[in-house]
Amino acid sequence: MRREWPKSARDYAQTVAAAIRSLGGVESARRAEAEPGHRSEVVRPRLDALGALMLDPWGDEEEAAAAALAVREAGRAVLPWPIVHVLSVPMPVRDDCGGVHLVLGESTALDHADVLPGPVALDLRDGRAFSVTVDRLRQAPLDPFRCDVRLADSAGSGLGPLSADASGMHLLLDAFWVGGALAEAAELALRHARERHQFGVPIGRFGEIRSRIADLVLARDGLDELALYTWWLVRVGEAGPADLLALRVQMIESAQSVLAHAHQILGAMGLCEEHDLAVIDRHLQPVLRRPAGRLGTTALLAEHVRRDGFAALFPVPARLPR
C-alpha cells in the first residue's frame, strides 16, 4: 500500500477545495438550511462544473483517488449536496439510479432524498433494494435535510448484482466525508487553543487542553489511516463487508472523540450557532446515526466476523454453525 495519494488527485482536491471556499465553506451549509433550493441551484452546478459528480470511484487509481479526496474536501465544509450517495452508484447504472441510501429494514426518513432522481435504498443486512418515494422535506436541527420517505421493495432497481459494490462504496466514502469534517473541526479547536490566552499564555499550554488535543488528533488521524487502508483493500479487491463495517465503527468512534474534545476546548462558543463547529456537529449527525449508530454497526460487524472471519492484524477465523 502506498501512503501518498497520486499528485493528480491531490491537485484535483485543491481545485475542489477552492471551489467550495468560493461558496463560503461551512456558510453554504447554513444557507442551504435556510434556503433548501440552494442545494440544486448553487451547489450542484458548481460540482457539475468540476466534474465531481461524474467521477468513478471504481476507476483507475488516479480517478478513484480523486473521488475519495473530493468527497473529503466536501466533508470539510459539510457541503450540502449528497455527493457520497451519487458517487456510490456504479457507473453502468447511473442513468437509472440517481443515488444510493443505506438502511436497516424499513426507514421513514432519509437525508437529501428530495434532490436525487430515482434514489434507491439498500438494506445493509441482506442487500435488498427499495425504491424511495419522497413525501416532503422535513428539516430538524440534528437532521438538516431530512425527508419523509416511503420505501417499497424494488427487485428491478437496476443495481442487481452491483448492490454489494454500491453499499460497500457508500460505507467507504462516508468515512472520507466524515474524515474531512473532523479535520475541519480539529483545526477549529487547534486554532482556538493557539489564539485564546488565559493568565498570559495560550490555553494550548495547559495540561488539560494538551491532553484533549492529543486525543483529538489521534482520533482524527486514526480514521484517516484506516480510510486510506480500506480504500486500498477495495482497490485490490480484498475488502469484505467486515472491513467496511469496521471502518464505519472507527468513523463513529473518531467523530465522537473529535467532536467531544473540540467542544471542550472551545467551551460555550463552540455550541453557538454562529460558530462553524456547531454547524459541522449538527450536519454530521445523520451520517453517524443512519443506517445505524455505533451499537447497531458493531452488531452487524460481529455477525459478519462470526460468519466470514476477519483478516485483521490478529486474524479471526469464521465460526461454523454447530
Side-chain angles (χ1 to χ4, degrees):
M1 183 189 83
R2 290 194 306 172
R3 295 175 59 85
E4 186 170 299
W5 296 100
K7 184 178 184 303
S8 61
R10 287 184 276 122
D11 291 343
Y12 181 74
Q14 291 177 1
T15 301
V16 173
I20 292 174
R21 284 196 299 271
S22 73
L23 291 174
V26 175
E27 186 58 36
S28 183
R30 286 193 184 89
R31 181 176 173 186
E33 287 191 69
E35 306 170 25
H38 176 74
R39 295 171 295 162
S40 297
E41 296 165 6
V42 178
V43 179
R44 170 156 189 176
R46 189 63 57 88
L47 292 174
D48 282 335
L50 294 168
L53 300 180
M54 292 302 296
L55 291 170
D56 182 4
W58 291 274
D60 62 30
E61 182 182 19
E62 292 189 352
E63 185 173 9
L69 294 183
V71 168
R72 192 174 192 277
E73 291 302 329
R76 286 190 73 102
V78 287
L79 191 69
W81 186 264
I83 186 171
V84 169
H85 304 61
V86 173
L87 295 185
S88 298
V89 180
M91 294 299 287
V93 295
R94 284 198 184 171
D95 289 340
D96 303 315
C97 175
V100 167
H101 294 270
L102 299 182
V103 297
L104 280 179
E106 293 294 329
S107 179
T108 59
L110 296 172
D111 58 305
H112 290 296
D114 59 322
V115 297
L116 294 173
V120 171
L122 296 177
D123 195 318
L124 267 185
R125 290 175 301 190
D126 53 23
R128 282 187 303 158
F130 301 91
S131 62
V132 178
T133 300
V134 179
D135 289 332
R136 66 184 177 116
L137 176 68
R138 186 155 66 93
Q139 296 168 281
L142 298 182
D143 205 350
F145 304 108
R146 168 198 169 110
C147 295
D148 290 340
V149 300
R150 287 173 284 120
L151 304 185
D153 281 313
S154 178
S157 68
L159 290 174
L162 298 177
S163 294
D165 291 341
S167 59
M169 185 58 68
H170 200 300
L171 291 170
L172 176 63
L173 295 180
D174 271 345
F176 281 97
W177 196 86
V178 170
L182 297 185
E184 184 64 17
E187 180 56 35
L188 292 171
L190 293 171
R191 186 185 311 147
H192 182 74
R194 290 191 298 266
E195 297 175 355
R196 170 70 168 163
H197 285 65
Q198 287 185 355
F199 307 109
V201 297
I203 64 171
R205 293 188 184 180
F206 299 155
E208 172 67 17
I209 300 298
R210 292 173 67 180
S211 176
R212 291 191 179 279
I213 288 174
D215 288 343
L216 176 153
V217 171
L218 180 63
R220 178 200 65 187
D221 291 353
L223 176 58
D224 287 345
E225 289 294 322
L226 187 57
L228 172 58
Y229 176 65
T230 309
W231 178 83
W232 175 77
L233 287 178
V234 170
R235 291 289 306 158
V236 298
E238 295 182 5
D243 296 291
L244 293 157
L245 289 169
L247 175 61
R248 179 169 174 81
V249 171
Q250 177 66 50
M251 177 191 82
I252 295 171
E253 292 180 347
S254 291
Q256 290 173 339
S257 178
V258 170
L259 294 173
H261 290 303
H263 278 297
Q264 287 292 332
I265 292 170
L266 282 154
M269 182 170 66
L271 298 173
C272 296
E273 187 58 29
E274 293 78 10
H275 200 282
D276 284 354
L277 179 61
V279 178
I280 291 171
D281 194 340
R282 289 194 297 102
H283 283 249
L284 277 178
Q285 296 310 308
V287 70
L288 298 177
R289 300 175 185 277
R290 227 182 255 129
R294 184 173 65 86
L295 292 179
T297 305
T298 301
L300 280 173
L301 172 60
E303 176 59 25
H304 277 283
V305 171
R306 183 196 64 77
R307 188 179 65 203
D308 305 324
F310 191 30
L313 180 61
F314 300 101
V316 179
R319 294 185 61 183
L320 299 176
R322 296 178 179 178

